[in-house]
Amino acid sequence: MDNHISKVMVITDFTVHQLGILNRMCEHLDHHSISYVIYDKTVANPTSDDVEEAKNLYLSSNCQALIGFGGGSSMDCAKAVGARLARPKKPLSKMEGILKIWKKLPLLICVLAIARTGSETTLAAVIVDSKTRHKYAINDFNLIPDYAVLDPKPTLSLPPFITACTGMDALTHAIEAYIGNLTTKKTRAYALKATKLIFENIYKVYEDGNDLEARSNMLDAAYYAGHAFTVSYVGYVHAIAHPLGGKYNIAHGLANATLLDVVLKQYGESVYKKLYEMALYCGICNANDSYKVGAERFIEQITLMKKYFGISSIFSELKNRIYTNWLFTQIMKPIHYIQFQFYGV
Ligand SMILES: [Fe+2]
């Protein structure tokens, strides 16, 4: 950390704070005589009110740098606080879209304690407007953190269900980056690597949270997937998950995990070849299989994964317990006309 910094603000959520996951980092800060204030009120889908509250605490405490600690919500909240500090006269709602900040943020460090987000590498922060519940992305190169810390030890305390949902969010990042129309050779390679790592390690971390090697592999996977979708973007799974998160406060990882196989089926033959390639790379199908068979086996593995983790295809938050399949077919038609969705994590 820069020598002139003597006080930092740590932005995290209540669960991460209560589980004591911050302790090791705080000990290091104490050791280096860096004082800190902790904002632990970040919620699953961080709101504009959260950001304002944290920003005011930052200013009243005379902090000099931001540490987003935990999952994507904490990192997005830290990024948005940084944006408001850089642009104090510009409300968050005016930053929606692309390149609306254009000013350097305070030093921003992201410590990944949940293997999913990729937010530690991206230029995006996703925020929910507190009044309207509109969920939107702010995208600016100044939001890319100065430092990203990938340390598996903080993730050891994560409960299995959160581990599963956040891991499936990272899987969604990788798959959507791969099947989209804006891929590059590099992002395809990152997406494949991330997907294989997740299939190989997500059950291990679910069954044994203390498996340090598997935890480390999941962090690497989230990082590769984050790189992939930063360039190649995400797709319809996120396009549906984001408004569900904004409107019903459904946790982002759970929303994506619930939707992933359902939405992939709805893509139909347009993604058979790409899903076949992913299945082949991960050892889920054989080279002799047709594209259709490879794609179906790939999706089937995701469905089995969901069942194993106890993730259903129903959003209980929705009235009348509307099945996701129905929801998707209703939403899919208008979405077909949207050629390009620019969303963050
Ligand atoms: Fe995501």
Side-chain angles (χ1 to χ4, degrees):
M1 188 172 288
D2 293 5
N3 289 333
H4 67 278
I5 288 176
S6 58
K7 191 162 189 179
V8 299
M9 177 177 219
V10 180
I11 295 181
T12 188
D13 63 68
F14 185 73
T15 304
V16 165
H17 194 188
Q18 286 300 108
L19 288 170
I21 300 174
L22 289 173
N23 293 352
R24 213 160 57 93
M25 182 184 72
C26 292
E27 287 168 12
H28 280 285
L29 291 173
D30 289 335
H31 180 73
H32 291 283
S33 302
I34 297 170
S35 58
Y36 52 86
V37 290
I38 297 173
Y39 178 82
D40 68 357
K41 297 180 188 173
T42 309
V43 294
N45 295 286
T47 67
S48 49
D49 282 354
D50 295 336
V51 173
E52 289 306 301
E53 189 178 17
K55 182 206 73 174
N56 291 336
L57 181 61
Y58 180 101
L59 291 172
S60 64
S61 305
N62 297 314
C63 295
Q64 299 157 302
L66 289 159
I67 299 177
F69 191 106
S73 297
S74 297
M75 293 181 198
D76 284 1
C77 187
K79 287 176 173 180
V81 169
R84 287 285 291 124
L85 290 165
R87 289 283 185 190
K89 293 181 180 174
K90 193 170 189 175
L92 278 179
S93 57
K94 298 285 185 188
M95 298 183 195
E96 178 179 357
I98 304 171
L99 303 179
K100 301 284 179 63
I101 301 173
W102 282 109
K103 199 170 177 187
K104 188 165 170 40
L105 274 56
L107 180 73
L108 173 63
I109 301 169
C110 283
V111 183
L112 188 61
I114 297 177
R116 86 159 168 89
T117 74
S119 184
E120 73 282 1
T121 68
T122 70
L123 50 70
V126 182
I127 299 297
V128 174
D129 186 287
S130 299
K131 290 191 177 70
T132 65
R133 300 301 298 172
H134 170 54
K135 189 170 182 174
Y136 57 94
I138 303 166
N139 303 277
D140 193 291
F141 290 106
N142 290 291
L143 291 178
I144 297 173
D146 297 288
Y147 298 94
V149 179
L150 306 180
D151 180 358
K153 287 179 184 166
T155 71
L156 298 180
S157 314
L158 274 184
F161 190 71
I162 297 176
T163 297
C165 290
T166 53
M168 288 194 72
D169 182 29
L171 180 62
T172 309
H173 295 158
I175 295 170
E176 295 205 298
Y178 192 86
I179 65 175
N181 293 325
L182 295 167
T183 66
T184 67
K185 189 176 178 183
K186 190 173 179 181
T187 62
R188 289 194 297 275
Y190 275 148
L192 287 173
K193 199 169 181 177
T195 303
K196 191 167 191 287
L197 277 172
I198 292 168
F199 274 117
E200 289 173 348
N201 291 281
I202 194 167
Y203 292 101
K204 293 180 185 173
V205 291
Y206 181 79
E207 291 298 338
D208 179 9
N210 290 313
D211 187 334
L212 197 59
E213 185 182 353
R215 288 283 193 190
S216 179
N217 288 336
M218 287 298 290
L219 281 185
D220 287 346
Y223 180 77
Y224 291 134
H227 257 306
F229 90 76
T230 293
V231 175
S232 298
Y233 312 114
V234 285
Y236 295 151
V237 180
H238 275 79
I240 300 171
H242 276 309
L244 286 173
K247 179 77 175 172
Y248 299 103
N249 208 27
I250 298 168
H252 179 72
L254 177 60
N256 278 327
T258 304
L259 289 162
L260 182 56
D261 58 336
V262 179
V263 175
L264 287 177
K265 280 179 194 166
Q266 295 293 329
Y267 273 99
E269 61 184 51
S270 64
V271 293
Y272 281 171
K273 182 173 182 292
K274 288 188 170 178
L275 292 185
Y276 161 86
E277 290 167 357
M278 299 195 92
L280 190 61
Y281 186 87
C282 297
I284 294 168
C285 75
N286 300 310
N288 294 332
D289 289 328
S290 66
Y291 291 159
K292 183 173 187 286
V293 167
E296 285 174 349
R297 287 192 180 162
F298 188 80
I299 295 170
E300 185 185 15
Q301 287 302 311
I302 295 167
T303 303
L304 291 172
M305 187 184 285
K306 273 172 60 175
K307 284 182 181 170
Y308 192 88
F309 299 147
I311 297 168
S312 76
S313 293
I314 298 170
F315 290 109
S316 59
E317 289 83 351
L318 299 182
K319 285 181 183 174
N320 303 323
R321 298 175 68 80
I322 299 169
Y323 281 82
T324 312
N325 265 329
W326 180 87
L327 171 73
F328 184 75
T329 54
Q330 299 304 303
I331 296 174
M332 191 66 183
K333 288 179 185 173
I335 284 179
H336 270 309
Y337 294 101
I338 303 171
Q339 189 178 8
F340 172 63
Q341 292 282 338
F342 197 95
Y343 281 107
V345 293

